[in-house]
Amino acid sequence: GSCTTDKDLMDQVSDSTAVVYMPQATQSPAVFTFERGQADAGIVYGACYGGPHANTSDIDVQFSTDPGLAGHFNDENFTEYPVMPAGSYELEQTSATIASGKVSTVPLTIKLHLDKLEGVGGYLLPVTISANAKLNEKLRTTFFLVKALYPSNPFPMLDRSQWAITGVSSE
């Protein structure tokens, strides 16, 4: 009889199912919490290739921040996160290659400048990919949610040593 192995079956699967995506996009949002004074705060980003066969040619991936997508995210999730302000982040690279035979770009880092953020709420940073290959549209954009917390209460405590009780009321 003629038997086919799994490998033969995989050979018949079309490469059209292969996609490029951002692994961080599986969490929506991808939450990162830092202490505000952290000088080396950063978030790793990158892109991956997934498909039935090995990637046989270089795939060029572009990374861009798209603040406009934050409004869409907030509408869908009933949130009101502000977008990370300009100057509060830097992408290490805006392009990278998934080399032939490889499944991902090298890990890249978004450098954060936490001193540029106000308050303690989260800020959204949508990072989107484009490539000379088919994209997984659902995993094309990562919504990084960056929270910068104070290591201790930033507000000075009132000195109460001189306080005196001037009266007590039972009403």
Side-chain angles (χ1 to χ4, degrees), residues 19-168:
V19 288
V20 175
Y21 64 96
M22 290 189 78
Q24 300 91 333
T26 56
Q27 301 161 48
S28 190
V31 182
F32 291 85
T33 303
F34 300 95
E35 280 198 3
R36 193 165 283 271
Q38 225 174 302
D40 62 343
I43 297 172
V44 172
Y45 69 103
C48 291
Y49 166 89
H53 310 116
N55 169 26
T56 54
S57 60
D58 286 0
I59 298 174
D60 299 314
V61 183
Q62 280 74 45
F63 298 92
S64 58
T65 55
D66 189 343
L69 293 171
H72 180 69
F73 178 92
N74 281 329
D75 290 347
E76 283 201 340
N77 295 281
F78 306 102
T79 51
E80 292 180 8
Y81 295 118
V83 177
M84 283 192 75
S88 65
Y89 62 89
E90 274 167 71
L91 297 187
E92 179 185 337
Q93 292 174 210
T94 53
S95 63
T97 301
I98 300 175
S100 176
K102 301 284 187 212
V103 294
S104 66
T105 60
V106 296
L108 303 167
T109 304
I110 302 170
K111 257 195 183 150
L112 302 175
H113 304 290
L114 301 174
D115 53 334
K116 303 272 195 289
L117 303 181
E118 306 279 325
V120 292
Y123 285 82
L124 273 183
L125 180 61
V127 177
T128 296
I129 57 170
S130 55
N132 59 342
K134 189 172 171 191
L135 298 171
N136 177 331
E137 289 297 331
K138 282 192 173 63
L139 298 178
R140 180 181 185 174
T141 302
T142 302
F143 291 95
F144 292 107
L145 179 61
V146 175
K147 295 182 176 184
L149 306 180
Y150 291 96
S152 58
N153 188 338
F155 306 102
M157 296 298 285
L158 291 172
D159 177 7
R160 296 187 176 128
S161 62
Q162 301 303 311
W163 288 16
I165 296 169
T166 57
V168 176

